[in-house]
Amino acid sequence: MRSSIRLWLAFGLALWWCVGPVQAQSQSTVLSGRITRASNGDPLVGASVFVKGTKRGTITNRLGRYRLAFTEPVTVVVRFVGFRDIEIPLEPTGKSIEQNFELVSNETQLADVLVAANRQDEYLQQVPVAASVVGRRDLERRSIYNTMEALNNTPNLMTDSWLNSQVSFSIRGLSTVFDNVGFESTVALYIDDVYFSRSFAYNQTLMDIDRVEVLRGPQGTLFGKNTIGGVIHVISEKPDMNNSGQIELNYGNYNFRQIRAKLNRQLIKNKLAVRLTGALSLRDGYVTDRVAANEALNKTDFFGFRGSLLYTPSNRLTLTLRGNYGRDGKAENTFVYLSKPDYNPVGVRADEGLTTNQNVPVEFNRDQYGGMGKLEVKLGRNTLTAISALNSSTDSYFSDNDISAADASRWGRAQGLRTFSQELRINSPRDQKFAYVAGLYYLNERISVTDTFTLNKDFVPVAARLLGAPIANASKFISEGYTTNAVIRSQSAAGFISGALELTPKLRLSGGLRLTAETRELAYYQKIRNQVVNGKSFNIINLYAANIGSKTNPETRQTSNVALSYDMGLDYRFTSNLMGYAKFVRGFKGAGFNTAPIKDSESGGLVFRPEYVNNYEIGLKAKPTERIQVNGAVFYTDYKDKQELLDQGTRVRVANAPLTRGYGAEVEFLAMLKRFRIDVSAGYLNLRFVDFPFGTDDNGNPVNYAGNRLLKAPDWTFSVAPEYNIQLNDKLRMYMGLNINHTGKAYNDISNSEILARVPASIVNGRVAIVPANGKWSVAFWGKNLTNKLYIQHGWEYEFGDQIAWSRPRYYGVEVYLNFR
């Protein structure tokens, strides 16, 4: 009996030994976890997790999380383009396994880039739009600190600025108008899906940015009416479910000091996270004023912060809240006086180089704040998105308007913008046979501006020449001036739908419609101040302005527009790595108001008509290997009633150019070897007015600008950015990079004044950095405009002499990054 029991026990043990593992292997084991970037802990969205040698796998969600089940011994591979693969062997246990992965960048491949051209993230190479994306990698490796610098490598794009708040963006020769709040931007400006209609309300200091997208050409179907030139979209980093932080310290010449920091905290695991970001930027001016009191205020002084909250109570609901505040306390002077060799109206020599001698300092301050909420709800495979936003920006500026030692004129401006917007849209996944996005949009704005201007004693000789007679009692003249006030109230509503239909596995038909209805109201008045001597007014200010309306009874105008924007196109995928497309876009920009000082309400043109554009484009996108990418496009633009402004001498007028046409081309090339990467882009433009009667000159002769090139439309743009990495040892590597940008000749006014034109210029920037393998810190030395090339950013021709704003000279510094986890 005991022998039988021993036999059965032995048999049972042997059976358990053989069968037990088989039973364990037959039980499903669930592997889950999170995949992040090793250097900073950010989640990697769309990373692949699969069983080696099979087609079984999954990808990570927006939180970087994945889930994969297996029942037998496997080798799991984790892969994300641009990062090194990770492989680990695993045995089934019948229990859940939590396994997180940290991926290290692979410098031998080009990462797939995301772009939200269709109002949701897609891979750039799959979207039939001429687009450029500047990602976090580019922002860091090129020491980019503001939006202007971020866009230097984009073909057919030009930026300049003559004051912190007065920034100009030009895409394909179509630019923002920054000197008249009655003009909406031709290039649509977005931050995190929220539209900014005026560039003076667009914060330029980059903080906590994920990427900057540039969509070239009209984008009116999905982004709205004022996108005739294109769209610039700054997308900030979202909070994520981890704990991390970063501090960046900068110091450079012109006493440049900058601190930027960010902190991310997970408050509820996989549910709630918060991200806080702050920046302080200080710098002395690069144009030196010989007057010590003026030079003391010649500085940049910016402080700002942003907070964001991400709440994901389920995998079907995401709520993002953002708030921001920014303040500019001072302004760098960029202007100098430019008298002509044969024309010196106020008897003052031209300034030499980057020095000036003015009567009063440049004074500037700006306050900006705002917030937005974005709710995303999964409805089956579709996504419903609701975005509400409120933003406000106010600033004031005062300066010596003649920019010289002569006391001829002074000018000041206070302007404000308050906007509320609401967007509701629904979109399908882009990978289905018919993909679509549709929605409604509402915008309510109040824009205000007050200009103050004085003509002072040194203007008397100029006035005598303009009036053709001596000024009586000229020695007693002190000043005359005007105050102009304008308030614009605007409401706009739109409905839109856009879709793409897969005709064959390789051919897609796309198209979209947007119906826009808007109303605007203008309240405008202008009050002149005359000096009276012996009962008689000098009336010198009457050369520039007249009494129009009053504060209690202003001149009023109204406009109302209903317009249809639309696009249609075809794209064909020759191979999985090569796509061609052709598209037509009809764009629209609404009517507007001239808020500048004028001599009478009719001839000055308080109202100008809406403008329309037809744009034809053919493009090609290729990524033949993981190391090479080439994108290119050619286009033709046909404009009707293009809105333009002329600010010249005693004339400030607006008009619509009946016909404007032109064409262009652009190409972008990226290549990467083991330790070397190069980015190259080039653009060509030829846009001109075909017919543009613009009233008469001061002698009564008709003026027509037909044949003139558009302002801010350089003939050529070219950039090349080589990078090289050197492995110093197992723990350290060195990064070296150049960024060379060439911009061809461009005019700063519609009359194509040669003395104010921007000359062709090549700007060379460089950076050398030491970075450890774990990415916990870095030290970099950077330099910008290393050859010290100067060019005219902007300028005006006035009766008291010309003035120009110089570009920034050579500047350099050291940068330290510290990452915390």
Side-chain angles (χ1 to χ4, degrees), residues 123-141:
Y123 289 123
L124 175 64
Q125 295 305 104
Q126 299 176 359
V127 182
V129 173
S132 300
V133 179
V134 183
R136 271 181 292 178
R137 176 191 179 281
D138 302 311
L139 297 174
E140 292 180 3
R141 293 200 172 190

PDB file of all heavy atoms in Angstrom, residues 123-141:
ATOM      1  N   TYR A 123       0.944  62.723 -39.238  1.00  0.00           N
ATOM      2  CA  TYR A 123       2.323  62.780 -39.656  1.00  0.00           C
ATOM      3  C   TYR A 123       2.460  63.732 -40.845  1.00  0.00           C
ATOM      4  O   TYR A 123       1.678  63.691 -41.794  1.00  0.00           O
ATOM      5  CB  TYR A 123       2.841  61.394 -40.021  1.00  0.00           C
ATOM      6  CG  TYR A 123       3.010  60.498 -38.821  1.00  0.00           C
ATOM      7  CD1 TYR A 123       2.361  59.273 -38.734  1.00  0.00           C
ATOM      8  CD2 TYR A 123       3.811  60.882 -37.750  1.00  0.00           C
ATOM      9  CE1 TYR A 123       2.512  58.450 -37.624  1.00  0.00           C
ATOM     10  CE2 TYR A 123       3.964  60.080 -36.637  1.00  0.00           C
ATOM     11  CZ  TYR A 123       3.315  58.867 -36.577  1.00  0.00           C
ATOM     12  OH  TYR A 123       3.460  58.068 -35.472  1.00  0.00           O
ATOM     13  N   LEU A 124       3.476  64.584 -40.783  1.00  0.00           N
ATOM     14  CA  LEU A 124       3.681  65.631 -41.776  1.00  0.00           C
ATOM     15  C   LEU A 124       3.708  65.082 -43.196  1.00  0.00           C
ATOM     16  O   LEU A 124       3.142  65.673 -44.116  1.00  0.00           O
ATOM     17  CB  LEU A 124       4.986  66.370 -41.462  1.00  0.00           C
ATOM     18  CG  LEU A 124       5.442  67.430 -42.462  1.00  0.00           C
ATOM     19  CD1 LEU A 124       4.446  68.577 -42.530  1.00  0.00           C
ATOM     20  CD2 LEU A 124       6.832  67.948 -42.095  1.00  0.00           C
ATOM     21  N   GLN A 125       4.361  63.939 -43.395  1.00  0.00           N
ATOM     22  CA  GLN A 125       4.535  63.407 -44.739  1.00  0.00           C
ATOM     23  C   GLN A 125       3.241  62.853 -45.331  1.00  0.00           C
ATOM     24  O   GLN A 125       3.194  62.518 -46.502  1.00  0.00           O
ATOM     25  CB  GLN A 125       5.608  62.315 -44.732  1.00  0.00           C
ATOM     26  CG  GLN A 125       6.999  62.827 -44.386  1.00  0.00           C
ATOM     27  CD  GLN A 125       7.449  63.956 -45.275  1.00  0.00           C
ATOM     28  OE1 GLN A 125       7.443  65.114 -44.878  1.00  0.00           O
ATOM     29  NE2 GLN A 125       7.821  63.637 -46.508  1.00  0.00           N
ATOM     30  N   GLN A 126       2.187  62.757 -44.530  1.00  0.00           N
ATOM     31  CA  GLN A 126       0.915  62.229 -45.017  1.00  0.00           C
ATOM     32  C   GLN A 126      -0.119  63.316 -45.277  1.00  0.00           C
ATOM     33  O   GLN A 126      -1.232  63.020 -45.698  1.00  0.00           O
ATOM     34  CB  GLN A 126       0.361  61.223 -44.003  1.00  0.00           C
ATOM     35  CG  GLN A 126       1.256  60.019 -43.774  1.00  0.00           C
ATOM     36  CD  GLN A 126       0.732  59.089 -42.694  1.00  0.00           C
ATOM     37  OE1 GLN A 126      -0.303  59.354 -42.088  1.00  0.00           O
ATOM     38  NE2 GLN A 126       1.457  58.011 -42.447  1.00  0.00           N
ATOM     39  N   VAL A 127       0.235  64.577 -45.041  1.00  0.00           N
ATOM     40  CA  VAL A 127      -0.718  65.673 -45.157  1.00  0.00           C
ATOM     41  C   VAL A 127      -0.423  66.480 -46.422  1.00  0.00           C
ATOM     42  O   VAL A 127       0.694  66.990 -46.581  1.00  0.00           O
ATOM     43  CB  VAL A 127      -0.652  66.589 -43.922  1.00  0.00           C
ATOM     44  CG1 VAL A 127      -1.685  67.707 -44.023  1.00  0.00           C
ATOM     45  CG2 VAL A 127      -0.865  65.778 -42.656  1.00  0.00           C
ATOM     46  N   PRO A 128      -1.387  66.636 -47.345  1.00  0.00           N
ATOM     47  CA  PRO A 128      -1.154  67.374 -48.591  1.00  0.00           C
ATOM     48  C   PRO A 128      -1.227  68.887 -48.394  1.00  0.00           C
ATOM     49  O   PRO A 128      -2.082  69.572 -48.948  1.00  0.00           O
ATOM     50  CB  PRO A 128      -2.275  66.867 -49.505  1.00  0.00           C
ATOM     51  CG  PRO A 128      -3.381  66.521 -48.565  1.00  0.00           C
ATOM     52  CD  PRO A 128      -2.725  66.000 -47.329  1.00  0.00           C
ATOM     53  N   VAL A 129      -0.322  69.407 -47.575  1.00  0.00           N
ATOM     54  CA  VAL A 129      -0.241  70.832 -47.281  1.00  0.00           C
ATOM     55  C   VAL A 129       1.232  71.218 -47.240  1.00  0.00           C
ATOM     56  O   VAL A 129       2.069  70.451 -46.733  1.00  0.00           O
ATOM     57  CB  VAL A 129      -0.908  71.161 -45.930  1.00  0.00           C
ATOM     58  CG1 VAL A 129      -0.667  72.611 -45.545  1.00  0.00           C
ATOM     59  CG2 VAL A 129      -2.406  70.882 -45.991  1.00  0.00           C
ATOM     60  N   ALA A 130       1.559  72.395 -47.759  1.00  0.00           N
ATOM     61  CA  ALA A 130       2.916  72.910 -47.653  1.00  0.00           C
ATOM     62  C   ALA A 130       3.127  73.408 -46.226  1.00  0.00           C
ATOM     63  O   ALA A 130       2.623  74.467 -45.852  1.00  0.00           O
ATOM     64  CB  ALA A 130       3.142  74.031 -48.656  1.00  0.00           C
ATOM     65  N   ALA A 131       3.823  72.629 -45.419  1.00  0.00           N
ATOM     66  CA  ALA A 131       3.951  72.935 -43.996  1.00  0.00           C
ATOM     67  C   ALA A 131       5.379  72.709 -43.537  1.00  0.00           C
ATOM     68  O   ALA A 131       6.095  71.841 -44.046  1.00  0.00           O
ATOM     69  CB  ALA A 131       2.993  72.070 -43.179  1.00  0.00           C
ATOM     70  N   SER A 132       5.781  73.500 -42.549  1.00  0.00           N
ATOM     71  CA  SER A 132       7.063  73.325 -41.863  1.00  0.00           C
ATOM     72  C   SER A 132       6.785  73.253 -40.374  1.00  0.00           C
ATOM     73  O   SER A 132       5.898  73.949 -39.867  1.00  0.00           O
ATOM     74  CB  SER A 132       8.021  74.487 -42.157  1.00  0.00           C
ATOM     75  OG  SER A 132       8.290  74.592 -43.538  1.00  0.00           O
ATOM     76  N   VAL A 133       7.550  72.426 -39.676  1.00  0.00           N
ATOM     77  CA  VAL A 133       7.376  72.265 -38.240  1.00  0.00           C
ATOM     78  C   VAL A 133       8.719  72.452 -37.559  1.00  0.00           C
ATOM     79  O   VAL A 133       9.704  71.798 -37.917  1.00  0.00           O
ATOM     80  CB  VAL A 133       6.794  70.881 -37.893  1.00  0.00           C
ATOM     81  CG1 VAL A 133       6.649  70.727 -36.385  1.00  0.00           C
ATOM     82  CG2 VAL A 133       5.446  70.679 -38.576  1.00  0.00           C
ATOM     83  N   VAL A 134       8.754  73.359 -36.585  1.00  0.00           N
ATOM     84  CA  VAL A 134       9.940  73.568 -35.755  1.00  0.00           C
ATOM     85  C   VAL A 134       9.640  72.935 -34.402  1.00  0.00           C
ATOM     86  O   VAL A 134       8.796  73.432 -33.653  1.00  0.00           O
ATOM     87  CB  VAL A 134      10.259  75.062 -35.601  1.00  0.00           C
ATOM     88  CG1 VAL A 134      11.539  75.257 -34.797  1.00  0.00           C
ATOM     89  CG2 VAL A 134      10.377  75.724 -36.960  1.00  0.00           C
ATOM     90  N   GLY A 135      10.309  71.823 -34.097  1.00  0.00           N
ATOM     91  CA  GLY A 135      10.017  71.085 -32.886  1.00  0.00           C
ATOM     92  C   GLY A 135      10.914  71.460 -31.724  1.00  0.00           C
ATOM     93  O   GLY A 135      11.796  72.313 -31.832  1.00  0.00           O
ATOM     94  N   ARG A 136      10.689  70.804 -30.586  1.00  0.00           N
ATOM     95  CA  ARG A 136      11.479  71.074 -29.395  1.00  0.00           C
ATOM     96  C   ARG A 136      12.965  70.872 -29.650  1.00  0.00           C
ATOM     97  O   ARG A 136      13.806  71.626 -29.147  1.00  0.00           O
ATOM     98  CB  ARG A 136      11.026  70.172 -28.253  1.00  0.00           C
ATOM     99  CG  ARG A 136       9.914  70.752 -27.409  1.00  0.00           C
ATOM    100  CD  ARG A 136       9.542  69.818 -26.291  1.00  0.00           C
ATOM    101  NE  ARG A 136       8.916  68.599 -26.793  1.00  0.00           N
ATOM    102  CZ  ARG A 136       8.522  67.600 -26.023  1.00  0.00           C
ATOM    103  NH1 ARG A 136       8.713  67.663 -24.721  1.00  0.00           N
ATOM    104  NH2 ARG A 136       7.940  66.540 -26.530  1.00  0.00           N
ATOM    105  N   ARG A 137      13.281  69.847 -30.413  1.00  0.00           N
ATOM    106  CA  ARG A 137      14.683  69.579 -30.717  1.00  0.00           C
ATOM    107  C   ARG A 137      15.334  70.774 -31.411  1.00  0.00           C
ATOM    108  O   ARG A 137      16.442  71.180 -31.071  1.00  0.00           O
ATOM    109  CB  ARG A 137      14.764  68.338 -31.618  1.00  0.00           C
ATOM    110  CG  ARG A 137      16.160  68.001 -32.084  1.00  0.00           C
ATOM    111  CD  ARG A 137      16.104  66.930 -33.167  1.00  0.00           C
ATOM    112  NE  ARG A 137      17.431  66.611 -33.636  1.00  0.00           N
ATOM    113  CZ  ARG A 137      18.116  67.334 -34.498  1.00  0.00           C
ATOM    114  NH1 ARG A 137      17.583  68.460 -34.972  1.00  0.00           N
ATOM    115  NH2 ARG A 137      19.326  66.983 -34.871  1.00  0.00           N
ATOM    116  N   ASP A 138      14.626  71.347 -32.401  1.00  0.00           N
ATOM    117  CA  ASP A 138      15.164  72.501 -33.126  1.00  0.00           C
ATOM    118  C   ASP A 138      15.240  73.726 -32.221  1.00  0.00           C
ATOM    119  O   ASP A 138      16.206  74.497 -32.286  1.00  0.00           O
ATOM    120  CB  ASP A 138      14.292  72.810 -34.343  1.00  0.00           C
ATOM    121  CG  ASP A 138      14.177  71.629 -35.287  1.00  0.00           C
ATOM    122  OD1 ASP A 138      15.216  71.052 -35.635  1.00  0.00           O
ATOM    123  OD2 ASP A 138      13.054  71.273 -35.666  1.00  0.00           O
ATOM    124  N   LEU A 139      14.233  73.933 -31.384  1.00  0.00           N
ATOM    125  CA  LEU A 139      14.223  75.093 -30.498  1.00  0.00           C
ATOM    126  C   LEU A 139      15.415  75.072 -29.555  1.00  0.00           C
ATOM    127  O   LEU A 139      16.048  76.107 -29.297  1.00  0.00           O
ATOM    128  CB  LEU A 139      12.923  75.130 -29.701  1.00  0.00           C
ATOM    129  CG  LEU A 139      11.624  75.302 -30.504  1.00  0.00           C
ATOM    130  CD1 LEU A 139      10.422  75.165 -29.586  1.00  0.00           C
ATOM    131  CD2 LEU A 139      11.591  76.649 -31.204  1.00  0.00           C
ATOM    132  N   GLU A 140      15.745  73.910 -29.044  1.00  0.00           N
ATOM    133  CA  GLU A 140      16.859  73.808 -28.110  1.00  0.00           C
ATOM    134  C   GLU A 140      18.198  73.880 -28.829  1.00  0.00           C
ATOM    135  O   GLU A 140      19.107  74.591 -28.399  1.00  0.00           O
ATOM    136  CB  GLU A 140      16.753  72.504 -27.323  1.00  0.00           C
ATOM    137  CG  GLU A 140      15.576  72.465 -26.353  1.00  0.00           C
ATOM    138  CD  GLU A 140      15.490  71.159 -25.590  1.00  0.00           C
ATOM    139  OE1 GLU A 140      16.381  70.305 -25.782  1.00  0.00           O
ATOM    140  OE2 GLU A 140      14.535  70.982 -24.806  1.00  0.00           O
ATOM    141  N   ARG A 141      18.340  73.162 -29.935  1.00  0.00           N
ATOM    142  CA  ARG A 141      19.646  73.065 -30.587  1.00  0.00           C
ATOM    143  C   ARG A 141      20.020  74.317 -31.371  1.00  0.00           C
ATOM    144  O   ARG A 141      21.172  74.458 -31.782  1.00  0.00           O
ATOM    145  CB  ARG A 141      19.671  71.845 -31.511  1.00  0.00           C
ATOM    146  CG  ARG A 141      19.587  70.537 -30.731  1.00  0.00           C
ATOM    147  CD  ARG A 141      20.085  69.384 -31.538  1.00  0.00           C
ATOM    148  NE  ARG A 141      20.188  68.188 -30.730  1.00  0.00           N
ATOM    149  CZ  ARG A 141      20.791  67.072 -31.143  1.00  0.00           C
ATOM    150  NH1 ARG A 141      21.341  67.034 -32.331  1.00  0.00           N
ATOM    151  NH2 ARG A 141      20.830  66.020 -30.360  1.00  0.00           N
TER     152      ARG A 141
END
